Amino acid sequence: AFSGRYASLMPPAPRRGTAAPGRGAPSAPAQGRPGRDTQMATWPDFNRMIGGYFKWHWLDPTHIDYKIDDPKSPLTKMFVDAMPFSLDDETYTFSVNADSYSRSNLHVLTSIDFARMSGTEKAKQDFPREDDDYGLSWIRREGKGRVFYEAHGHNEKIYAIKTMLEHIVAGMQYAMGDLAADDSPSQKR
């Protein structure tokens, strides 16, 4: 019932060939390759604040094994206790552009354990990252505020997984300033 209730709250999608507010005209995904970003680099403030331009996504269900990049963070302790951790969901990835997703701009908490991903799933990508670095969650400072990003949660089943709920709650506490955490970039410049 959640999907239906949520959809009833959302504004109608733009008709094909019309522009959504603040965006260019939508275009169809590349032939046989759903999920390709057609609005690359059109929102520079979003890129800076969130930490990357959307590049492509694996569709749900795709099996993702988690890697804990900062096991000492209070935002990842729930994963450390639950390792090995994996789930099936639609998984978003970010641009290979050096000015977009980069550990020199973000404190990466979790990422895809790419070495454990199936060759079939890896082969679905357009323009894969040479470094195989696909962050799943991160934090960063933005001005006087804080940003928490979590790639998963497209499928409502994710919100029934205790580990994910604990991670999201910790992320919200961090963003509100109620939870202290090291948010320095993961990779020093």
Side-chain angles (χ1 to χ4, degrees):
F2 173 81
S3 297
R5 287 194 312 268
Y6 182 75
S8 73
L9 299 172
M10 301 307 294
R15 291 186 328 268
R16 188 168 267 325
T18 62
R23 299 185 70 173
S27 60
Q31 185 72 23
R33 303 289 231 192
R36 179 94 175 120
D37 180 16
T38 60
Q39 300 297 316
M40 184 66 158
T42 59
W43 295 359
D45 294 336
F46 177 87
N47 173 61
R48 186 191 72 255
M49 183 178 74
I50 297 300
Y53 285 118
F54 168 75
K55 175 183 76 90
W56 185 84
H57 62 84
W58 281 282
L59 297 176
D60 182 22
T62 297
H63 186 76
I64 300 294
D65 290 303
Y66 270 61
K67 181 169 61 172
I68 310 309
D69 293 86
D70 183 358
K72 295 179 183 175
S73 175
L75 284 85
T76 60
K77 70 180 182 169
M78 64 290 303
F79 291 111
V80 173
D81 296 342
M83 287 309 283
F85 183 80
S86 63
L87 54 76
D88 297 322
D89 195 17
E90 188 167 314
T91 303
Y92 285 74
T93 65
F94 290 84
S95 174
V96 295
N97 179 330
D99 295 328
S100 189
Y101 170 82
S102 169
R103 288 176 183 257
S104 63
N105 300 324
L106 309 166
H107 187 90
V108 178
L109 300 167
T110 63
S111 60
I112 295 174
D113 189 344
F114 198 69
R116 295 184 56 155
M117 183 173 253
S118 78
T120 303
E121 292 297 340
K122 289 178 184 179
K124 290 179 181 178
Q125 295 184 81
D126 286 332
F127 309 106
R129 292 181 61 94
E130 288 182 21
D131 60 7
D132 297 335
D133 184 12
Y134 298 95
L136 293 172
S137 64
W138 56 76
I139 56 176
R140 65 178 298 278
R141 291 286 180 143
E142 174 62 29
K144 294 180 182 180
R146 296 173 181 88
V147 174
F148 166 69
Y149 175 82
E150 169 49 52
H152 286 130
H154 184 82
N155 189 310
E156 63 198 52
K157 294 182 295 189
I158 300 305
Y159 301 101
I161 301 171
K162 182 180 177 193
T163 302
M164 288 303 294
L165 286 176
E166 290 174 346
H167 181 55
I168 292 167
V169 167
M172 290 189 297
Q173 289 175 315
Y174 163 80
M176 292 185 300
D178 292 341
L179 181 62
D182 176 10
D183 53 19
S184 62
S186 295
Q187 182 179 36
K188 307 303 179 212
R189 294 176 188 222

